[in-house]
Amino acid sequence: MENSDHRASTSASAISNTATRYIKLLLEDTRLNIAEKLTRLISAITVCALLLVFLIVALLFASLAAGYALSPYTGHLGAFLIVAAFYVLLAIVLISCKRVFIVNPIARFISRLMLQAPTQEQANDKPASVS
């Protein structure tokens, strides 16, 4: 009887140690996944911010060039007002279509980053619908 109690306590101890190790590994895996996803997110934000700065500078020079190119036909004031009106029109289009141009692409990027696509096995494991 004593021998079976010893085996049972040893088995329970082994199961407990295995469960504890499994939980620690799950926590470590979660931390590593979070670190990877945060790294990807922050690097994407950084790249976008740098591209935005460069595009703004390029757009500024392109706007000045467009204004000076139009100035022989409309005068300096008229040329720069035409360029400004173009940007106001562009802002109106972006605001009216912000879901299509801004919200949806950001939502898709973050969902792809945070959620993993189902593997082929998971897709095949779907229960069959009953009709």
Side-chain angles (χ1 to χ4, degrees):
M1 181 89 166
E2 208 174 283
N3 194 12
S4 66
D5 286 342
H6 178 66
R7 272 193 232 146
S9 68
T10 304
S11 295
S13 175
I15 291 172
S16 173
N17 287 341
T18 304
T20 303
R21 180 167 160 72
Y22 179 71
I23 290 171
K24 285 180 183 178
L25 288 174
L26 279 177
L27 289 173
E28 183 67 21
D29 183 53
T30 302
R31 279 190 235 129
L32 289 173
N33 281 333
I34 289 171
E36 175 196 5
K37 290 174 190 215
L38 277 175
T39 301
R40 289 173 57 193
L41 181 64
I42 291 172
S43 65
I45 289 171
T46 304
V47 167
C48 286
L50 287 172
L51 283 174
L52 185 66
V53 167
F54 292 138
L55 286 174
I56 287 173
V57 170
L59 195 60
L60 173 71
F61 283 113
S63 298
L64 289 172
Y68 283 116
L70 289 173
S71 65
Y73 307 106
T74 61
H76 289 305
L77 182 62
F80 288 109
L81 285 175
I82 290 172
V83 172
F86 169 76
Y87 286 119
V88 168
L89 182 65
L90 185 64
I92 290 170
V93 169
L94 279 176
I95 289 171
S96 65
C97 299
K98 72 179 176 184
R99 180 171 297 284
V100 174
F101 293 128
I102 298 169
V103 175
N104 289 346
I106 290 173
R108 275 194 302 273
F109 171 73
I110 291 178
S111 65
R112 268 185 290 171
L113 179 67
M114 297 298 173
L115 304 174
Q116 296 177 351
T119 61
Q120 187 63 29
E121 291 175 7
Q122 290 173 339
N124 292 336
D125 289 343
K126 291 181 186 173
S129 63
V130 178
S131 313

